[in-house]
């Protein structure tokens, strides 16, 4: 009974007293038919209908009770994808893998079908004959049409697509005029798909979140355009499991005066992510994202890390860490950790949290990188803070401040 009551509360109330009406908010998922997006959509439907509680959602904790956030039931999901495998079919595969419970899937199947009907063809450079500028305008039009047709006050765009390989820097990356001219040239392909999707969000005036380590807004001229559009942005690369644990343990070791000599890690994963990261170019960007924060937290210790594709693991991710530590009088300590989880189940509630918090950022008039949301990311935009404890304090303080200032202000900032 307590669980059912909590589920109803999650579905029908915001995380705190409502000072104004957010209205309907759209969640536009890049990679909408992937495992993370499907799991997030299914979870949103289950919470909204009262079939499940919001365990794993940070914004449902007591510390956020005074923060005015949109209700789960007030979100509408759509998105882009280049896959023709529907959300329902993807969910069936996730049920077969043992990740999702069959009864819960069946209870929200119709909502998944409805959400899938709002998915539009994404940008696939292998099949496009249009210029990249035309592609971005087409994607932006899809987002705007979604907002208008469903009477939404804003649309939060979140990239949860597969990891891309890093790209080489071009002169156009630092000059807006050069970049825009190059994008209009149908014979050129200067931006990767993640950046085209990010540009589309900018054109549509939508808050943008990058949950992957792909290039996205890491193009100075493109980020300048995003800032000029007045939308809040957040990223990068969701901190779901191993990196989150590292950001907890490393500061604790430092606080005890212990010195990390080396921190070696291994990731084993299957499914689509495993296949994608089997590409040496794609995995290089992921490794950089996962390791940058750890090096800073350990003062530059050796942090070898590798990722292996083990297809029989399916949706399960296994992470091992071996930490070699120097203690008092040169003594040695060793700490070993093993992490096993369905990674999409860790990522999905973070997608919902980010949607709620980015709606708050939009209502509050935030522009550019929202550094306080670094709590959710391995390589946070606009912040060099990697300690999870400190990131938690920053996030809560920001959310409470934004909620208070918005309540005292003019209320909703409608997306034009």
């Amino acid at each position: 009974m307590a669980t059912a009551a909590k589920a109803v509360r999650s579905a029908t109330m915001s995380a705190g007293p409502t000072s104004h009406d957010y209205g309907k908010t759209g969640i536009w998922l890049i990679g909408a038919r992937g495992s993370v997006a499907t799991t997030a959509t299914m979870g949103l439907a289950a919470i909204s209908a009262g079939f499940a509680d919001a365990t794993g959602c940070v914004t449902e904790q007591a510390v956020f009770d005074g923060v005015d956030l949109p209700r789960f039931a007030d979100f509408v999901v759509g998105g882009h994808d280049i896959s023709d495998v529907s959300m329902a079919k993807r969910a069936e595969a996730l049920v077969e893998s043992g990740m999702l419970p069959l009864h819960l899937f069946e209870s929200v199947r119709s909502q998944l079908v409805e959400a899938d009907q709002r998915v539009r063809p994404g940008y696939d450079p292998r099949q496009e004959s249009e210029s990249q500028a035309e592609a971005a305008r087409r994607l932006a039009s899809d987002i705007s049409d979604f907002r208008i047709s469903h009477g939404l006050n804003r649309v939060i765009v979140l990239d949860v697509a597969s990891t891309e390989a890093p790209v080489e820097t071009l002169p156009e990356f630092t000059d807006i005029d050069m970049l825009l001219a190059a994008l209009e040239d149908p014979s050129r392909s200067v931006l990767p798909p993640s950046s085209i999707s990010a540009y589309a969000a900018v054109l549509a005036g939508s808050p943008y979140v990058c949950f992957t380590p792909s290039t996205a807004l890491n193009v100075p001229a493109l980020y300048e355009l995003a800032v000029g559009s007045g939308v809040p942005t957040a990223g990068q690369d969701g901190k779901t499991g191993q990196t989150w644990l590292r950001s907890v343990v490393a500061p604790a070791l430092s606080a005890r005066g212990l010195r990390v000599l080396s921190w070696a890690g291994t990731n084993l994963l299957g499914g689509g992510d495993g296949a994608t990261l089997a590409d040496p170019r794609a995995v290089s960007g992921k490794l950089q994202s996962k390791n940058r924060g750890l090096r800073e937290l350990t003062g530059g210790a050796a942090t070898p890390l590798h990722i292996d594709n083990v297809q029989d693991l399916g949706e399960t991710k296994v992470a091992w860490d071996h930490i070699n530590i120097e203690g008092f009088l040169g003594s040695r300590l060793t700490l070993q950790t093993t992490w096993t989880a369905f990674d999409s189940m860790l990522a999905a509630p973070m997608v919902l949290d980010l949607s709620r918090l980015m709606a708050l950022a939009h209502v509050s008039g935030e522009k550019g990188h929202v550094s306080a949301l670094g709590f959710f990311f391995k390589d946070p935009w606009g912040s060099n803070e990697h300690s999870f404890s400190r990131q938690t304090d920053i996030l809560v303080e920001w959310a409470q401040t934004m909620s208070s200032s918005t309540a005292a202000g003019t209320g909703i900032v409608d997306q034009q």
Side-chain angles (χ1 to χ4, degrees), residues 17 64 77 95 98 178 193 212 252 254 282 293 312 375 395:
F64 284 89
V77 176
V95 168
M178 289 178 63
T212 79
S254 178
D312 61 273
F375 171 96
L395 174 66

Side-chain angles (χ1 to χ4, degrees), residues 3 44 109-110 116 133 187 190 224 243 254 259 269 327 337 368 402:
T3 300
L44 179 65
R109 179 191 287 268
S110 62
D116 191 74
S187 68
V190 294
E224 191 175 342
T243 309
S254 178
R259 185 162 74 94
L269 67 163
T337 66
M402 289 300 100

Side-chain angles (χ1 to χ4, degrees), residues 275-291:
T276 297
L277 295 175
D279 178 350
R281 293 183 64 245
V283 79
S284 65
K286 188 73 171 180
L287 292 174
Q288 291 173 19
S289 176
K290 286 176 71 67
N291 256 341

Side-chain angles (χ1 to χ4, degrees), residues 138-265:
R138 171 175 61 83
L139 300 182
S141 179
D142 290 338
I143 297 169
S144 297
D145 289 346
F146 172 63
R147 174 176 59 82
I148 294 168
S149 63
H150 291 85
L152 308 173
N153 281 333
R154 69 199 57 78
V155 178
I156 313 298
V157 177
L158 296 100
D159 190 339
V160 289
S162 297
T163 299
E164 294 173 346
V167 298
E168 294 185 11
T169 300
L170 299 174
E172 288 84 354
F173 285 10
T174 57
D175 186 295
I176 289 178
D177 292 335
M178 289 178 63
L179 178 63
L180 293 178
L183 292 176
E184 294 289 354
D185 187 344
S187 68
R188 300 196 64 189
S189 181
V190 294
L191 292 179
S194 65
S195 296
I196 295 297
S197 294
Y199 182 35
V202 171
L203 291 175
S206 286
Y208 173 78
V209 178
C210 184
F211 205 76
T212 79
S214 301
T215 301
L217 287 179
N218 290 324
V219 174
L222 188 54
Y223 177 60
E224 191 175 342
L225 287 171
V227 172
S229 73
V231 298
T233 53
Q236 178 174 26
D237 197 7
K239 184 164 62 177
T240 55
Q242 181 186 38
T243 309
W244 166 67
L245 186 60
R246 288 173 160 198
S247 71
V248 173
V249 174
L253 296 173
S254 178
R256 280 291 303 271
L258 303 172
R259 185 162 74 94
V260 173
L261 301 175
S262 63
W263 196 312

